[in-house]
Amino acid sequence: MSIEIRNIAKRFGNFVALDDVSLSIPTGELVALLGPSGCGKTTLLRIIAGMETADEGQVMFEGSEATHLHARERQVGFVFQHYALFRHMNVFENVAFGLRVKPRKERPSESEIRKRVMDLLSLVQLDWLADRYPTQLSGGQRQRIALARALAVEPKVLLLDEPFGALDTKVRKELRRWLRRLHDEMHISSVFVTHDQEEALEVADRVVVMNKGRIEQVGSPDEVYSNPASPFVYQFLGNVNVFHSRVHGAWAEVARDDVPAGQEAVAFIRPHDIDIDTVATPESLEAKVSYVQTIGPLVRVEVIHQGELVEVELTRERQQVLGLTAGQQVWLKPRQVKVFANGEGAVAPAQAQEKQPFLF
Amino acid sequence: MSAKKNNVLPGFGLALGYTLVYLSVLVLIPLGGLVLKSTALTFAQFWDIATTERALAAYRVTFGASALAAVINAFFGLIVAWVLVRYDFPGKRLIDSFVDLPFALPTAVAGITLATLYSTNGWIGKYLEPLGLKVAYTPLGIVVALTFIGLPFVVRTLQPVIEDIEPEVEEAAATLGASRWQTFRRIIFPAIFPALLTGFALSFSRAVGEYGSVIFIAGNMPLISEITPLLIISKLEQYDYVGATALAVVMLGISFVLLLAINGLQWWAANRHNNRNTGGEQ
Amino acid sequence: MSVRRANTEPAWVRYTLLTLAFAFLALFLGVPLAAVFAEALRGGWEAYVNGLLDPEARSAVTLTLAVAAIAVPLNVAFGIAASWAIAKFEFRGKSLLITLIDLPFAVSPVIAGLIFVLMFGAQGYFGPWLAEHDVKIVFAVPGIILATLFVTFPFVAREMIPLMQAQGKDEEEAAVSLGASGFQMFWRVTLPNIKWGLLYGVILANARAMGEFGAVSVVSGHIRGETNTLPLHVEILYNEYNAIGAFASASVLALLALVTLVAKTLVEWRMRAETAMLTAELPPEKTN
């Protein structure tokens, strides 16, 4: 089922949780709502689920108005951050709940319920836990039961609120891949909320980056990572070096005080987008190595350029060639830079798409 | 209602509506009626009724005995709570539940029993008689009854607070060279003081309004051992509704002040707790 | 040489405190409780049983049970409604409402009775109207029920409010999103979660409803065989110097108190076990 969100606004007292948010989610996609806490992502999810009512705007399901549809009529499966399993029911009864509360006419027979629940439990690979109570399960198991319970009513949309937030790293990675496979098998639209960029980039078809109640960017994981639409997205997704620069038309000058002031701007360069060399090349910046550290397959080099710390990531092979040590004189050259006017969005999106001509 | 809009759960209007109607019909309107009735008096008339010699004596007896009983309960309640939390002894859980007896035992039963026990030939009274101590039918009897009634309050407010004291804090004090008494006085007592005060106030507040357990043992001599609630009843029995109302309004005002004080104390205790726990979750 | 832990007192202090605590509890709780039964049985079993079988005593028991049977369910309904609104929804004036619910605890029982006399008595606000329509509230059973409702008013609500607040509303929201109707959600999810807290409130409210003296005494009119509850019956017999009869009835109430304490303790243990289970550490992750 496709979901369309039109101009949704939501305030809690003076706090603006969502500010004119529009988004469309085509059928069958797995979408991540990504952002820091308080950015409105959970509120948006709860509005889609009907748990929360928007102050303004519309929610459309499959092209038809659903804004005022009650949560129980929306046919959405909702998975809560802290699972919200019914603590006095065993696993079987938890999953069966949605079937048992159906009106008598639609309610499946007891044997059908049994079969459906056991099928779902084997889908989440926990059929051996049917008689246990929620308190006897580990966090990962609870999460999978919560998912099975949400799927029991055959929802058209699956909504997950920080589904892996309370789990430890190893279980989290496993469940992530498992959710992806499950989504592909079920042929439904799924939306999940997360504050973990790695999670969003790894699992989702599309990532919606949110900040302060607004959508900053919507795109494939690769798009939002390699082509961030705003300084916020740049900084939220991955490490970045920030240079305060000036812009003259399409030309940016980074950190050169003797040039007359143009428009205030900021340049962003990812640590792995910087070339480092031991000899000066044209248009390169002089710097001094302050620290070299090998982290797994990468080598992180911290250099000082005009009093500012710049982070550079190299492959092990490159470091073997260069043999950098602390105190050494080096020259930097960015491969890819993105410049944004200070305090605003991109200077000019059209130009920002390409590599900025840079003058050092 | 605005709450309705933000919440998918049903029943808010019905639940709140029912709550407000029920609360109004049963509590607010009748109490309002009492206050309204007293406004039929001019302030001078009200003052005269509220400060007759007999009324003043009744306040003295009521508040004096209540305060004394609350002090006794604060002292022994602290010991009982400490013993129940910190020491192990056989039958501990049984005794712990037994502390609530005064909550569960109807006050009339407590009243006739205490009166019998402390009368000159009662189980306890007969040993006090030779010492020249008369308890039943004297103000002292009122203190005994009010002590019984207020006993659980201090114990029950202190227990969770004593349980919450982290043993590490005491161990730290000990490693820094404090004696056990110094640790108690400087570390433990300040931590439990708000709760002790709350327990005292609860016990006092309950005692001020108490009627059933007191009237049997008090002797009910005007000016000597007559409590305010009893004075209200005797006015009522003489169909002096205005007089009863005036005294009731005085009592109600005092109860209200006590309720506010208790809420304030609890807020203070909770806030101190929060400040100590800054950096914790929530 | 005995090794003493850093956070215990010297032995002599411990024994002194234990002795003081035991002596205090024995003097103020143990001896009175024993005395109730001793006094009741002072005249032997026969006198005791006769005291209990007295028709007036039996009608007092009936009235007491009837009053509790009406007052407790009404306050349960109120307690559930109030805690539902307070714990699951946000609205202005919530803390004032919580304070007002506690108000009857702060009011003297005598005043609790007096206010209903002022409302419904012969000289009360509604007195003339009631007399005209031949309805008796004060000095009749309805007055006793009203006074009992007032004094037991907060019990259920104040147990349930913190409990429901602690449980949050996730489970109810999950039930709704799975298609449950309001009634199904309440019956299948909310009620099972609050049943022990509810029972606890009921036990306390019931004990107070059956044992209330002051408030009921003001509104009852003490009509024998009609408006005498058991505690009032105890008073009348005692004032008539029928100590054995008074204590026989008192022993029934004392027994009720003991049953209350046992039931309350069992529910407390049960609730503690459940809290412990809920807050227990998660079992280690297992991947099958």
Side-chain angles (χ1 to χ4, degrees), chain B residues 3 7 10 12 15 19 22 26 33-34 37 82-83 87 95 97 100 113 116 148 167 170 180 209 212 241 248 255, chain C residues 7 9 14 18 22 28 32 36 75 78 82 84 88-90 106 108-109 114 123 125 149-150 169 213 247 264-265:
Chain B
N7 207 316
F12 174 67
T19 302
Y22 193 79
L26 212 54
L34 173 78
K37 184 96 179 172
W82 185 262
V83 162
Y87 300 160
I95 291 176
S97 340
D100 280 330
T113 310
T116 308
F148 174 84
E170 291 167 55
R180 190 62 197 152
Y241 287 96
S255 300
Chain C
N7 48 0
E9 292 76 39
R14 265 181 292 153
L18 275 169
F22 281 134
F28 276 93
V36 177
N75 278 338
F78 161 72
W84 180 257
K88 309 277 178 182
F89 298 86
E90 290 307 320
S108 169
L114 173 66
Q123 295 179 35
Y125 294 104
L149 279 173
F150 184 93
K169 51 184 192 186
F213 176 74
F247 276 102
K264 179 173 163 297
T265 308

Side-chain angles (χ1 to χ4, degrees), chain B residues 82 86-87 162 165-175 177-189, chain C residues 4-14 17:
Chain B
W82 185 262
R86 288 299 176 96
Y87 300 160
I162 297 176
I165 299 174
E166 293 159 40
E168 288 88 348
V169 178
E170 291 167 55
E171 283 160 6
T175 59
S179 72
R180 190 62 197 152
W181 170 244
Q182 284 171 318
T183 305
F184 178 81
R185 200 168 55 89
R186 290 168 176 269
I187 309 293
I188 299 169
F189 192 75
Chain C
R4 192 155 62 79
R5 281 184 38 223
N7 48 0
T8 49
E9 292 76 39
W12 68 269
V13 176
R14 265 181 292 153
L17 291 179

Side-chain angles (χ1 to χ4, degrees), chain A residues 3 44 58 88 136 140 160 171 174 205 208 214-215 221 255 269 274 284 292 300 313 331 343 351:
Chain A
I3 306 167
L44 182 57
Q58 289 171 297
H88 62 280
Q136 299 165 313
L160 306 102
V171 183
E174 265 175 32
D205 295 319
V208 178
R214 290 173 160 277
I215 292 180
I269 308 172
I274 298 177
S284 62
V292 181
R300 190 203 289 153
E313 274 172 20
W331 283 266
Q351 295 162 353

Side-chain angles (χ1 to χ4, degrees), chain B residues 14-248:
Chain B
L14 181 69
L16 187 65
Y18 182 67
T19 302
L20 292 178
V21 169
Y22 193 79
L23 176 73
S24 305
V25 169
L26 212 54
V27 179
L28 300 182
I29 294 173
L31 283 176
L34 173 78
V35 177
L36 190 69
K37 184 96 179 172
S38 72
T39 55
L41 296 165
T42 66
F43 184 75
Q45 286 170 314
F46 181 85
W47 187 253
D48 283 344
I49 297 172
T51 58
T52 58
E53 196 192 352
R54 194 170 163 193
L56 289 177
Y59 302 146
R60 260 197 305 277
V61 172
T62 306
F63 293 107
S66 297
L68 196 54
V71 168
I72 294 171
N73 274 327
F75 180 75
F76 285 99
L78 174 58
I79 294 174
V80 170
W82 185 262
V83 162
L84 283 176
V85 174
R86 288 299 176 96
Y87 300 160
D88 272 320
F89 49 88
K92 176 167 152 171
R93 298 225 281 192
L94 201 70
I95 291 176
D96 188 36
S97 340
F98 196 51
V99 167
D100 280 330
L101 182 72
F103 284 160
L105 193 72
T107 52
V109 177
I112 63 167
T113 310
L114 292 173
T116 308
L117 278 176
Y118 285 90
S119 66
T120 25
N121 48 8
W123 285 1
I124 298 174
K126 68 181 169 200
Y127 297 107
L128 299 176
E129 173 82 18
L131 306 173
L133 259 180
K134 274 182 75 77
V135 175
Y137 319 122
T138 69
L140 210 52
I142 301 176
V143 176
V144 169
L146 295 180
T147 306
F148 174 84
I149 283 303
L151 191 150
F153 287 101
V154 176
V155 181
R156 291 296 181 234
T157 12
L158 276 178
Q159 265 178 322
V161 181
I162 297 176
E163 273 166 17
D164 271 356
I165 299 174
E166 293 159 40
E168 288 88 348
V169 178
E170 291 167 55
E171 283 160 6
T175 59
L176 293 168
S179 72
R180 190 62 197 152
W181 170 244
Q182 284 171 318
T183 305
F184 178 81
R185 200 168 55 89
R186 290 168 176 269
I187 309 293
I188 299 169
F189 192 75
I192 61 176
F193 182 67
L196 185 65
L197 215 56
T198 309
F200 172 87
L202 284 169
S203 169
F204 179 74
S205 154
R206 170 74 205 262
V208 164
E210 180 55 22
Y211 173 70
S213 59
V214 175
I215 52 159
F216 296 99
I217 199 174
N220 305 327
M221 298 272 292
L223 302 179
I224 296 165
S225 60
E226 184 180 53
I227 54 167
T228 319
L230 180 67
L231 185 56
I232 293 176
I233 289 213
S234 54
K235 294 223 179 252
L236 210 53
E237 278 167 359
Q238 294 153 16
Y239 302 103
D240 179 5
Y241 287 96
V242 176
T245 304
L247 290 176

Side-chain angles (χ1 to χ4, degrees), chain A residues 121-195:
Chain A
L121 286 178
S122 42
L123 179 71
V124 299
Q125 299 158 358
L126 290 175
D127 40 349
W128 51 292
L129 289 177
D131 296 330
R132 299 268 188 98
Y133 282 85
T135 47
Q136 299 165 313
L137 307 179
S138 72
Q141 289 167 343
R142 285 181 203 187
Q143 187 57 280
R144 284 191 276 168
I145 297 300
L147 202 56
R149 182 179 69 177
L151 292 173
V153 291
E154 296 177 331
K156 301 278 172 55
V157 182
L158 187 59
L159 305 172
L160 306 102
D161 186 8
E162 296 269 4
F164 315 118
L167 303 171
D168 59 46
T169 328
K170 187 167 163 283
V171 183
R172 208 153 148 164
K173 285 204 161 171
E174 265 175 32
L175 274 183
R176 220 138 83 183
R177 271 178 230 128
W178 177 82
L179 173 69
R180 179 70 239 186
R181 278 205 310 275
L182 194 77
H183 169 86
D184 292 340
E185 280 169 31
M186 305 288 296
H187 306 291
I188 53 175
S189 311
S190 308
V191 182
F192 75 101
V193 157
T194 180
H195 62 268

Side-chain angles (χ1 to χ4, degrees), chain A residues 12-217:
Chain A
F12 295 105
N14 289 327
F15 177 72
V16 180
L18 291 172
D19 182 9
D20 193 19
V21 167
S22 298
L23 176 67
S24 82
I25 299 169
T27 312
E29 247 186 21
L30 176 53
V31 173
L33 300 179
L34 173 67
S37 60
C39 74
K41 55 191 192 298
T42 296
T43 307
L44 182 57
L45 193 76
R46 288 173 62 87
I47 286 175
I48 298 174
M51 302 279 183
E52 215 79 67
T53 316
D55 298 337
E56 285 162 43
Q58 289 171 297
V59 178
M60 319 280 282
F61 283 171
E62 208 71 83
S64 61
E65 174 80 41
T67 316
H68 301 291
L69 217 53
H70 192 273
R72 82 171 66 89
E73 289 147 5
R74 290 198 184 195
Q75 291 189 289
V76 298
F78 198 94
V79 178
F80 291 77
Q81 185 178 2
H82 300 290
Y83 327 125
L85 293 176
F86 305 128
R87 66 193 95 178
H88 62 280
M89 295 181 198
N90 64 21
V91 163
F92 183 93
E93 287 303 321
N94 260 283
V95 178
F97 182 88
L99 302 173
R100 291 203 196 284
V101 297
K102 277 184 190 291
R104 198 171 293 273
K105 273 180 280 173
E106 299 163 34
R107 197 183 305 156
S109 71
E110 191 57 36
S111 60
E112 275 174 75
I113 290 180
R114 173 148 283 277
K115 182 174 173 333
R116 281 260 281 283
V117 171
M118 292 316 290
D119 284 352
L120 277 163
L121 286 178
S122 42
L123 179 71
V124 299
Q125 299 158 358
L126 290 175
D127 40 349
W128 51 292
L129 289 177
D131 296 330
R132 299 268 188 98
Y133 282 85
T135 47
Q136 299 165 313
L137 307 179
S138 72
Q141 289 167 343
R142 285 181 203 187
Q143 187 57 280
R144 284 191 276 168
I145 297 300
L147 202 56
R149 182 179 69 177
L151 292 173
V153 291
E154 296 177 331
K156 301 278 172 55
V157 182
L158 187 59
L159 305 172
L160 306 102
D161 186 8
E162 296 269 4
F164 315 118
L167 303 171
D168 59 46
T169 328
K170 187 167 163 283
V171 183
R172 208 153 148 164
K173 285 204 161 171
E174 265 175 32
L175 274 183
R176 220 138 83 183
R177 271 178 230 128
W178 177 82
L179 173 69
R180 179 70 239 186
R181 278 205 310 275
L182 194 77
H183 169 86
D184 292 340
E185 280 169 31
M186 305 288 296
H187 306 291
I188 53 175
S189 311
S190 308
V191 182
F192 75 101
V193 157
T194 180
H195 62 268
D196 181 346
Q197 38 129 339
E198 198 189 317
E199 200 165 284
L201 297 182
E202 189 183 314
V203 181
D205 295 319
R206 279 206 302 161
V207 178
V208 178
V209 187
M210 296 183 67
N211 184 35
K212 293 180 180 160
R214 290 173 160 277
I215 292 180
E216 295 270 341
Q217 188 174 6

